[in-house]
């Protein structure tokens, strides 16, 4: 009943920037926490950033200061602005959401997009 579709993944050079977008539809009013996760080859999935209904954000230590999560006013689009990209940022990035929870980075999510691939080369 909630659909999430990511876009914006690309291959970029280390030090570059990229903005990911997530289009949300369905019963998005039920969500109070949305975020981004990533999974690199051979690694576990990790939470990258979250934003709650009030706009409070949280970030993984590995991306703090480089990535920014945000939403449009309608809450229908989620963004992840990624700056100063590193090869270690290479991963499939997933948009996700959940309702009825306290929001923190890495929290278990109920709804997931199919992912968008980010590849950082150097």
């Amino acid at each position: 009943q909630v659909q999430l579709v990511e876009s914006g993944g690309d291959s970029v050079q280390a030090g570059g920037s990229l903005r990911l977008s997530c289009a949300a539809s369905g019963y998005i009013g039920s969500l109070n926490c949305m975020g981004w996760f990533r999974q690199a080859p051979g690694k576990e999935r990790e939470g990258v950033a979250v934003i709650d209904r009030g706009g409070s954000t949280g970030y993984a230590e590995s991306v703090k200061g480089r990535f920014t999560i945000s939403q449009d006013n309608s809450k229908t689009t989620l963004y992840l602005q990624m700056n100063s990209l590193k090869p270690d940022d290479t991963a499939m990035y997933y948009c996700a959401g959940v309702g009825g929870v306290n929001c923190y980075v890495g929290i278990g999510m109920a709804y997931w997009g199919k992912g968008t691939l980010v590849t950082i080369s150097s």
Side-chain angles (χ1 to χ4, degrees):
Q1 295 186 19
V2 173
Q3 296 82 44
L4 304 172
V5 180
E6 305 94 336
S7 62
D10 204 353
S11 179
V12 299
Q13 288 281 97
S17 296
L18 195 63
R19 190 177 79 162
L20 306 183
S21 298
C22 172
S25 60
Y27 298 115
I28 59 176
S30 66
L31 305 177
N32 73 295
C33 182
M34 296 190 70
W36 293 92
F37 290 71
R38 67 185 182 186
Q39 187 165 27
K43 295 185 177 180
E44 295 182 356
R45 184 181 64 194
E46 64 174 338
V48 175
V50 292
I51 185 166
D52 70 12
R53 186 174 296 277
S56 295
T57 59
Y59 299 92
E61 288 296 323
S62 59
V63 307
K64 195 171 296 182
R66 300 188 298 120
F67 290 11
T68 304
I69 188 171
S70 62
Q71 289 180 304
D72 66 1
N73 290 335
S74 68
K75 304 291 195 290
T76 58
T77 307
L78 182 73
Y79 302 99
L80 185 68
Q81 178 65 48
M82 304 185 293
N83 299 324
S84 302
L85 285 161
K86 305 174 180 179
D88 284 350
D89 295 319
T90 295
M92 185 72 74
Y93 282 73
Y94 299 91
C95 175
V98 68
V101 300
N102 292 322
C103 195
Y104 60 90
V105 65
I107 191 172
M109 297 291 192
Y111 304 99
W112 293 84
K114 293 183 178 180
T116 187
L117 183 62
V118 172
T119 302
I120 312 302
S121 61
S122 181

